[in-house]
Amino acid sequence: MADSSATYGDLAAQWARAEALRAEEGSPPGAVGGRQQGGGKKATAANKQQEVRFKAAHGILVAFLTWVFVIHVLGIYFFTKGFLLTRLVLDDISECSVSPVGGDSGLAAGSPKEGCWHPKTFDKAIVIIVDALRYDFTVPQEGSEHYYHNSFPFFYETASKQPNNAFLLPFIADPPTTTLQRLKGLTTGTLPTFVDAGSNFAGTAIEEDNLVAQLRTAGKNLVHIGDDTWHSLFPGYFDPELTRAYDSFNVWDLHTVDNGVIEHLEPLMQPGNASRWDIIFGHFLGVDHAGHRYGPDHPAMAAKLQQMDEFFRKIINNLDDSTLMVVMGDHGMDVKGDHGGESDDEVEAALWMYSKQPVFGRSSRARALPPRTAKQRPVGQIDLVPTLSLLLGMPIPFNNLGAPIEEAFVGKDGQDWKNLALVNHLTAAQIKRYQREYATIRGLDPKVMAQPLTSWDRAENALDMAKQSAGSIMWREAYAGFSAYQRETLSVCKGLWARFDLVSMSQGTGILVAAVSLLIVYARGMAGDISDLNPVLLVRAVAGSLVGAAGGGLITFVKPDITTSLDAVLFGVGAGGLAAVAVTLLNLWPRLLSPLPTSLWGWLSLIIVISPSIGFASNSYTVWEDDILVFFLSSFGVLAVVSSLRQPDRVDRYLGAYQSIVFLVLTRLSSLSRLCREEQMPFCRSTYYASATSSTSAPWQLLIPVIVAVTLSSIIKSHYRTTRSYEGSAVFWLGFALPSGLLMSALFWILDAADDGDWIASSQKGRLKTFRMTIAQLVLAIALAAGSTTYAWAKPCVNIQMTPAASTSETSNGSAASSAPQASQNPRSTLTILGYANTYGTHYFLLMTNVLLSLAIVTKPMGHLSLGTLTWQILALLDLLDSNHLLPNGGNNRDNSSSGSSAIGPVILALLGSHHFFKTGHQATLASIQWDSAFVPLRTIMYPWSPLLVMGNTFAGPILTALAIPLLVFWKRSDPKANKTIDTTGRGNGLLGEVARVAATYLLCFATTSLATTMWAAWLRRHLMLYRVFMPRFMLGALTLVVVDLVVVLVAVGVGVRISVKSVGDVFGWG
């Protein structure tokens, strides 16, 4: 009996020798599907020609799917461009010499020494951001057992005991609560929008007028220490000798940035260094990182807050009378320590100001103590800009919309209403100047500002009366009037900047509608082998896109005011290509079929796709989407059990029922992993982390990766052994490499928990981090380097055995091996090919295990449960579909679909991808992004690897199901040569045609979801829950579509199909 070979050459030689021996014994040529012996060179040439035809057809298919991807991106681009709110950034800059109120301030214009628009109170300032400092972290909470309470009381104590020297207030951020957007608001005084439309798109640097630029223009020496985001926003503004910037993205590092700020800030505050700087900007990150890594209710958070408390107690002793200290949070954090949204915990930060001079005050006894909660006496973060500007004698930035903070200008006795009125008059006048300029450029209707202007007139009258009276009542009235004007103008601006570009949104929606419609026809509405359509479709698509691009360019040349040249060309590319493909498909009307289902499974597929698309119109449906997906998957499992029990074949009946039950059980098991979103509380219990307020894993959860590592390989091997495919490279990869890699991944997360839980001495944590990184890098090397090499060069998972005629005594299992038929008269040798029944599927599945391993290392312990069950569910799904004859693997499909291929397989895979997106610890919210996954194998940010790691962590479920798409064609394909890679007869579907159909159906599912979330977000653009529910779900739908497009086109079809088909063809011939 011949041994299995280790190389293509040996395996192919065994196959050739076996055929030659059979020929000598009188077998008909090619009796087992091999190369015909009589053809000689002609047969070899024909085989080579078929290989070339496959490669050409495969390349065309990949190119056509790439065009589909481009169309999806264009649709998303145009809709996003019109949907994400924009504001026009004015280039105007406030000048010290030009006061918005003329000479009414009583100061000589342009006197930075005394104060540009108002007498300055301080010469110098230290402005410090404690990232994610939530307001309740600073307010003592008697009896509270939370770690984040009572650890940072210093600010409250000074504001209570020294009201003329300090005040503490809730500091409300405008969403989105990301550091970059918050820094823009804190320095410009403007509201954040998702796209700031200005004249310079070269980078992230702030080009509009801002406080930092005003200070620099005034000749102040600026120093920055901490978060390096400041240097992206203000490049070249800071003293290079004194400035120290630190990487801001490594959320696992709680101490480097904070220790660096403390180390370099304290020496600068010594009297000997006082002349070296005017303004210091410091930015601590430890509190934010502790929240991201552990959640707020953790000892690490208490330690960080205590460190901050101790630092500020110490550092104020070095302040002089001419220096103002400002400490603030740029945003808060939710119960898990994340931020980015608009929940109360995320927007409620803290603001503390301190001065050795007794210059602050309270306007009433009720304001003597800091507010107990953030709902009382809050100030907006944009109010910091005019406050600091006037205290430091700087002009208020031109685009500012904030108001001066009362406590900073009301005087020691709390009754300086004149000063309050004057600073609010200055601020309101600047806002009026900005509003007038903005309205002129935008061409706004004057009626828009009617209400604010009424308040302005009342305030002006009160101010005139106050100047003529001796009492404070009219000054108070003037203050109230200008404050009202500022609030009303702010409200108007919010409304103006909530205007959407409906034309661009319509363009994007139209492109997506057309793309979905064409995918429906291509995937479900064409008879025969659709791979033979790809050449003409691709040529027409490219030609149409080129013509459309030229047309778009011509339109903007003739009428340049319509839109930008780039947008016109891009829209022409999309519209032209779609029109050309649509006309081509219509011209193929003899092959057109009704895409409507003709079977129970077809209707179920349609319901599963359409129902969520309708449901996304409801915020409650969107919020509870994770639960609804479990219902759909469970319903499919129940129907699969019933269908399996009705199969006439006993093996199909039992195997189908068993795998359907396994699928059901795994669905319920995976649902145990859950991360709740804020809107689901208190009716939801998070299990992904140790608790609802934690970002770390519980000790018992560390067992999950170990269990997955021990069991998953055995489960996969059992499916291989069913078809006797546990041969060749599968033995090494599934028997050793995969379980070893998964065990190393489990070890990584155990060591990570040891670091989080302080199980080891602090002095050893550096070595531990290095060891963990080495493990992670080794796992990725096994998966992506060794695994990819193994897959690319692996022969099919088969073993060819030849039993000589004299010893023929066995028959083989037809489901697992192929044997030559014996003649009844002459004894012949028996050829057995173990694994022949699943030649394509078992080889391709090796690619999935490679990617699974690379995703496991960046997925937290509870996520391993999701990845493990997903892999098993895919195998169970393939077997139950095969038992119910719903796989397009050789013409055994009994769905009776007009297209010849059931849609249920791709639809359930898409459903599984969405289900396991939620089960790997994610929600359709910005706060659920697990940024720390970027640092699993790295110490610092490295492009493009850090973003790719985050993407892998976020979209692990959709990525694995996208990779599984070709398995719907490959799995248990009974004869590599019985179905040609390309159908040349016109009577059926070739392998590539089937791959194209299932891939297009899978992409159609996600394209439909993306289109639905897009249309509902547009329709509900004025809904109260737009930014909390509908917009994040639209963004998730769009990003998921882009990711699965890329994975299907580049990896699954582009690489996987080509290598697996070539592997089989090189051994058994191309037929």
Side-chain angles (χ1 to χ4, degrees):
M1 188 175 294
D3 295 330
S4 66
S5 59
T7 67
Y8 278 118
D10 292 342
L11 191 59
Q14 283 187 354
W15 175 251
R17 286 196 301 270
E19 285 194 313
L21 179 59
R22 287 174 54 76
E24 292 175 1
E25 294 174 350
S27 295
V32 293
R35 297 179 180 86
Q36 293 184 355
Q37 302 300 310
K41 294 182 179 179
K42 184 181 294 186
T44 302
N47 186 70
K48 186 66 177 177
Q49 184 180 23
Q50 186 68 12
E51 178 183 359
V52 172
R53 290 187 62 192
F54 163 76
K55 291 180 179 179
H58 173 265
I60 292 172
L61 172 60
V62 172
F64 180 70
L65 292 178
T66 302
W67 175 81
V68 173
F69 161 71
V70 171
I71 293 299
H72 287 158
V73 171
L74 288 175
I76 292 168
Y77 163 74
F78 277 104
F79 182 84
T80 303
K81 175 176 170 289
F83 181 69
L84 296 185
L85 304 183
T86 63
R87 68 178 173 89
L88 177 67
V89 175
L90 302 185
D91 294 331
D92 302 67
I93 296 176
S94 296
E95 299 179 18
C96 186
S97 60
V98 183
S99 171
V101 295
D104 291 349
S105 63
L107 291 175
S111 175
K113 214 169 191 184
E114 301 293 330
C116 288
W117 297 351
H118 183 268
K120 68 177 180 180
T121 309
F122 300 97
D123 295 322
K124 308 173 73 174
I126 299 173
V127 180
I128 295 180
I129 291 180
V130 178
D131 208 291
L133 182 63
R134 205 167 74 192
Y135 182 71
D136 64 319
F137 292 177
T138 65
V139 180
Q141 305 289 333
E142 187 175 348
S144 174
E145 296 181 357
H146 294 297
Y147 287 105
Y148 53 81
H149 282 157
N150 304 316
S151 296
F152 196 172
F154 176 62
F155 290 172
Y156 189 89
E157 291 173 2
T158 52
S160 301
K161 298 176 181 178
Q162 305 174 55
N164 295 139
N165 301 95
F167 63 84
L168 173 66
L169 291 171
F171 199 42
I172 307 303
D174 295 296
T177 48
T178 57
T179 295
L180 182 66
Q181 291 283 11
R182 289 292 77 243
L183 290 181
K184 288 184 177 182
L186 288 168
T187 54
T188 63
T190 58
L191 296 173
T193 54
F194 293 94
V195 180
D196 290 336
S199 58
N200 189 342
F201 291 88
T204 60
I206 297 178
E207 300 293 338
E208 64 184 304
D209 196 9
N210 62 83
L211 177 60
V212 180
Q214 288 288 350
L215 290 167
R216 185 186 183 214
T217 301
K220 304 292 186 182
N221 190 38
L222 310 181
V223 176
H224 168 259
I225 307 172
D227 184 349
D228 61 356
T229 305
W230 287 78
H231 292 265
S232 300
L233 298 176
F234 307 104
Y237 280 49
F238 304 110
D239 186 329
E241 183 181 349
L242 301 178
T243 292
R244 299 291 184 273
Y246 297 88
D247 179 18
S248 61
F249 200 64
N250 189 353
V251 295
W252 283 16
D253 186 350
L254 274 60
H255 307 296
T256 299
V257 177
D258 289 6
N259 292 343
V261 174
I262 294 172
E263 177 186 352
H264 294 96
L265 181 59
E266 288 182 338
L268 288 176
M269 295 188 65
Q270 299 300 319
N273 291 320
S275 61
R276 302 181 66 188
W277 57 271
D278 295 301
I279 309 292
I280 296 176
F281 294 97
H283 196 142
F284 289 98
L285 289 173
V287 172
D288 179 68
H289 288 185
H292 282 300
R293 184 172 180 182
Y294 302 106
D297 203 10
H298 189 275
M301 179 62 76
K304 265 293 146 192
L305 293 173
Q306 289 165 7
Q307 181 188 28
M308 294 295 98
D309 187 86
E310 179 182 347
F311 169 72
F312 288 110
R313 286 180 188 275
K314 176 181 178 182
I315 205 166
I316 64 167
N317 296 322
N318 296 326
L319 279 183
D320 56 36
D321 289 348
S322 64
T323 302
L324 169 68
M325 174 165 278
V326 182
V327 183
M328 73 196 89
D330 56 340
H331 51 74
M333 63 176 67
D334 63 17
V335 294
K336 281 180 55 277
D338 298 320
H339 57 88
E342 57 178 339
S343 68
D344 289 346
D345 284 344
E346 291 171 274
V347 302
E348 293 172 351
L351 171 68
W352 179 74
M353 287 194 181
Y354 180 84
S355 165
K356 284 291 183 71
Q357 296 184 57
V359 296
F360 302 136
R362 311 291 187 270
S363 60
S364 68
R365 291 185 178 180
R367 294 172 172 259
L369 296 177
R372 298 299 301 177
T373 72
K375 302 296 186 295
Q376 302 168 1
R377 293 157 44 203
V379 296
Q381 291 196 350
I382 58 174
D383 296 342
L384 178 71
V385 171
T387 302
L388 275 183
S389 297
L390 296 173
L391 288 174
L392 295 172
M394 294 292 105
I396 299 173
F398 192 85
N399 296 336
N400 167 73
L401 292 172
I405 297 172
E406 179 181 295
E407 282 78 357
F409 299 98
V410 75
K412 291 186 294 182
D413 59 359
Q415 298 300 311
D416 196 348
W417 299 107
K418 178 180 179 180
N419 190 40
L420 265 179
L422 290 176
V423 295
N424 277 273
H425 183 208
L426 280 167
T427 306
Q430 174 54 44
I431 292 174
K432 188 170 183 285
R433 184 162 62 173
Y434 164 73
Q435 179 275 325
R436 183 172 58 249
E437 187 70 17
Y438 192 93
T440 301
I441 295 176
R442 284 295 199 191
L444 301 179
D445 188 341
K447 295 180 181 179
V448 172
M449 292 300 297
Q451 181 61 39
L453 288 176
T454 301
S455 297
W456 172 267
D457 291 338
R458 284 199 300 264
E460 285 274 82
N461 292 333
L463 182 63
D464 291 339
M465 294 177 66
K467 291 178 180 179
Q468 300 172 10
S469 65
S472 63
I473 295 178
M474 294 312 300
W475 287 112
R476 192 166 185 170
E477 287 291 327
Y479 162 55
F482 289 123
S483 295
Y485 170 79
Q486 181 269 336
R487 291 192 301 271
E488 291 166 3
T489 303
L490 181 61
S491 178
V492 169
C493 289
K494 286 182 177 180
L496 290 175
W497 296 335
R499 292 186 176 181
F500 303 88
D501 185 347
L502 297 182
V503 173
S504 182
M505 291 168 62
S506 299
Q507 289 175 320
T509 304
I511 290 175
L512 290 175
V513 168
V516 168
S517 301
L518 292 182
L519 275 177
I520 291 174
V521 176
Y522 179 77
R524 314 307 312 163
M526 297 298 295
D529 186 350
I530 62 174
S531 65
D532 60 8
L533 302 178
N534 293 333
V536 65
L537 290 178
L538 179 62
V539 170
R540 300 286 178 84
V542 173
S545 295
L546 292 176
V547 171
L554 180 61
I555 290 174
T556 54
F557 178 78
V558 176
K559 293 186 176 181
D561 296 335
I562 292 180
T563 184
T564 65
S565 298
L566 176 61
D567 284 348
V569 169
L570 291 178
F571 183 74
V573 169
L578 286 166
V581 171
V583 171
T584 303
L585 291 175
L586 289 175
N587 289 334
L588 296 170
W589 62 267
R591 292 183 60 174
L592 289 176
L593 301 168
S594 171
L596 291 177
T598 57
S599 68
L600 173 65
W601 292 115
W603 281 109
L604 178 63
S605 302
L606 183 63
I607 292 171
I608 289 175
V609 174
I610 295 299
S611 295
S613 299
I614 298 173
F616 287 129
S618 165
N619 59 309
S620 58
Y621 179 96
T622 307
V623 166
W624 292 96
E625 182 183 0
D626 51 350
D627 276 356
I628 296 169
L629 291 174
V630 174
F631 167 77
F632 279 123
L633 288 171
S634 300
S635 299
F636 165 76
V638 171
L639 290 176
V641 172
V642 175
S643 175
S644 298
L645 294 176
R646 297 181 62 192
Q647 296 301 312
D649 183 81
R650 184 170 60 91
V651 174
D652 287 342
R653 189 163 58 247
Y654 291 155
L655 179 61
Y658 167 74
Q659 296 294 3
S660 300
I661 293 172
V662 168
F663 186 89
L664 266 173
V665 172
L666 292 175
T667 298
R668 300 307 302 177
L669 180 63
S670 64
S671 68
L672 297 178
S673 174
R674 185 169 195 179
L675 179 70
C676 301
R677 56 187 294 164
E678 181 189 10
E679 295 85 358
Q680 293 176 330
M681 306 304 290
F683 307 105
C684 177
R685 180 173 175 270
S686 291
T687 59
Y688 192 78
Y689 297 107
S691 68
T693 59
S694 174
S695 293
T696 59
S697 300
W700 67 268
Q701 291 175 324
L702 300 177
L703 294 174
I704 293 176
V706 178
I707 296 172
V708 170
V710 172
T711 60
L712 185 59
S713 294
S714 299
I715 292 167
I716 297 173
K717 287 189 289 185
S718 70
H719 283 265
Y720 271 63
R721 289 191 172 110
T722 300
T723 55
R724 299 189 181 183
S725 300
Y726 190 55
E727 303 287 345
S729 300
V731 176
F732 169 77
W733 187 254
L734 299 179
F736 176 75
L738 178 62
S740 298
L742 290 174
L743 281 172
M744 293 170 65
S745 179
L747 176 60
F748 172 90
W749 289 108
I750 291 173
L751 295 176
D752 178 70
D755 188 4
D756 289 345
D758 295 326
W759 299 351
I760 61 172
S762 299
S763 59
Q764 300 299 316
K765 286 194 173 184
R767 295 180 180 177
L768 180 63
K769 171 64 176 176
T770 301
F771 185 47
R772 287 199 338 256
M773 283 177 48
T774 302
I775 292 175
Q777 291 168 357
L778 186 56
V779 171
L780 290 173
I782 293 173
L784 300 179
S788 298
T789 303
T790 299
Y791 174 69
W793 294 99
K795 66 182 180 65
C797 301
V798 298
N799 184 4
I800 299 177
Q801 298 177 349
M802 176 66 74
T803 304
S807 61
T808 300
S809 59
E810 302 177 7
T811 60
S812 63
N813 185 345
S815 66
S818 174
S819 299
Q822 285 187 304
S824 58
Q825 298 179 354
N826 299 320
R828 298 175 181 175
S829 298
T830 301
L831 175 64
T832 303
I833 308 175
L834 300 177
Y836 200 65
N838 202 1
T839 313
Y840 289 104
T842 51
H843 182 272
Y844 181 88
F845 195 83
L846 295 177
L847 175 63
M848 282 200 60
T849 59
N850 297 344
V851 177
L852 167 68
L853 184 55
S854 65
L855 296 175
I857 190 62
V858 296
T859 304
K860 296 191 176 182
M862 200 67 181
H864 281 66
L865 173 65
S866 173
L867 296 183
T869 55
L870 173 58
T871 305
W872 194 356
Q873 278 182 297
I874 290 173
L875 290 169
L877 176 66
L878 293 170
D879 278 347
L880 75 87
L881 291 176
D882 181 68
S883 297
N884 285 272
H885 305 282
L886 295 172
L887 290 179
N889 54 2
N892 295 323
N893 185 356
R894 295 182 184 175
D895 185 17
N896 296 321
S897 171
S898 58
S899 64
S901 174
S902 175
I904 194 65
V907 169
I908 295 302
L909 280 178
L911 202 63
L912 280 173
S914 299
H915 170 70
H916 285 278
F917 165 82
F918 293 102
K919 300 309 155 186
T920 49
H922 300 94
Q923 283 283 352
T925 60
L926 292 175
S928 69
I929 299 175
Q930 298 169 27
W931 299 107
D932 53 352
S933 57
F935 298 95
V936 168
L938 304 171
R939 287 191 184 274
T940 59
I941 301 174
M942 293 182 63
Y943 293 98
W945 311 118
S946 296
L948 287 175
L949 291 168
V950 176
M951 294 291 284
N953 169 277
T954 305
F955 297 103
I959 288 172
L960 283 178
T961 57
L963 280 173
I965 280 297
L967 287 172
L968 295 173
V969 178
F970 288 170
W971 196 251
K972 293 187 178 178
R973 201 168 185 90
S974 57
D975 187 340
K977 297 187 66 184
N979 298 277
K980 297 180 180 180
T981 56
I982 308 170
D983 179 46
T984 59
T985 67
R987 294 189 297 271
N989 289 339
L991 185 145
L992 273 182
E994 293 165 358
V995 169
R997 198 180 295 278
V998 296
T1001 304
Y1002 178 83
L1003 296 179
L1004 176 60
C1005 296
F1006 285 101
T1008 304
T1009 298
S1010 179
L1011 173 61
T1013 56
T1014 296
M1015 296 179 70
W1016 290 125
W1019 182 259
L1020 300 169
R1021 61 187 181 275
R1022 300 296 180 186
H1023 195 282
L1024 181 65
M1025 302 297 287
L1026 174 66
Y1027 297 110
R1028 184 170 289 196
V1029 175
F1030 297 112
M1031 192 194 71
R1033 190 58 186 87
F1034 148 69
M1035 295 174 66
L1036 172 62
L1039 283 174
T1040 306
L1041 177 60
V1042 170
V1043 169
V1044 298
D1045 270 344
L1046 288 173
V1047 174
V1048 168
V1049 174
L1050 298 181
V1051 185
V1053 177
V1055 174
V1057 170
R1058 183 184 181 93
I1059 289 179
S1060 289
V1061 173
K1062 186 177 185 302
S1063 171
V1064 175
D1066 285 349
V1067 173
F1068 296 106
W1070 295 82

